[in-house]
């Protein structure tokens, strides 16, 4: 399973722990045909591997990285920070650590409010 699909499955399987999010608006790799104007959309993409640990000249574990882009309508009224914290908390309980929070920006092209969180986790290779 790809890292993006792995993270998407965690979020979708535990959607009841994530306020104001819907599994139908959580995507791996691209948004596709999701054109909601009222709900947050999450897009999970992969980043290069962070590092590998070796034993006997063989990789025994690798640190994987993913990023989650949060897209909110520009007039979104719910607590965006609470949504993002819930995602961070859920992923932390599953061994994924948030190592970057870019902060909210208004995108010039789509006029959405966007934030990007980056996560790192270890995966055993043996």
């Amino acid at each position: 399973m790809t890292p993006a699909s792995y993270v998407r499955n965690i979020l979708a399987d535990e959607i009841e722990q994530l306020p104001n999010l819907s599994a139908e608006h959580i995507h791996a790799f691209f948004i596709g045909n999701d054109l909601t104007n009222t709900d947050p959309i999450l897009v999970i993409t992969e980043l290069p591997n962070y590092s590998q640990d070796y034993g006997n000249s063989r990789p025994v574990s690798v640190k994987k990285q993913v990023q989650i882009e949060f897209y909110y309508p520009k007039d979104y009224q719910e607590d965006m920070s609470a949504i993002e914290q819930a995602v961070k908390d859920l992923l932390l309980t599953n061994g994924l650590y948030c190592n970057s929070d870019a902060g909210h920006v208004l995108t010039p092209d789509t006029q959405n409010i966007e934030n990007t969180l980056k996560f790192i986790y270890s995966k055993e290779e043996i």
Side-chain angles (χ1 to χ4, degrees), residues 32-50:
N33 295 336
D34 191 343
L35 301 175
T36 182
N37 291 328
T38 57
D39 300 317
I41 296 174
L42 277 60
V43 180
I44 305 156
T45 55
E46 299 173 11
L47 299 170
N49 290 343
Y50 186 76

Side-chain angles (χ1 to χ4, degrees), residues 8 11-12 15 18 21-28 34 42 44:
R8 194 227 175 261
L11 297 176
I15 197 67
L18 303 173
L21 290 180
S22 171
E24 69 183 296
H25 300 306
I26 300 175
H27 307 282
D34 191 343
L42 277 60
I44 305 156

Side-chain angles (χ1 to χ4, degrees), residues 1-11 28 91 94-96 121-122:
M1 179 180 306
T2 66
S5 296
Y6 172 67
V7 172
R8 194 227 175 261
N9 285 346
I10 291 170
L11 297 176
L91 292 179
N94 284 276
L96 288 93
Y121 69 99
S122 293

Side-chain angles (χ1 to χ4, degrees), residues 58-103:
R58 301 187 72 130
V60 292
S61 70
V62 62
K63 290 194 191 293
K64 302 276 188 182
Q65 295 188 105
V66 296
Q67 71 179 16
I68 302 176
E69 295 172 274
F70 293 75
Y71 295 96
Y72 303 97
K74 69 178 178 181
D75 57 351
Y76 193 68
Q77 298 297 312
E78 301 298 328
D79 188 347
M80 293 177 271
S81 294
I83 294 169
E84 293 157 13
Q85 188 61 52
V87 169
K88 288 179 188 179
D89 293 343
L90 176 59
L91 292 179
L92 181 61
T93 63
N94 284 276
L96 288 93
Y97 303 88
C98 184
N99 64 345
S100 178
D101 184 337

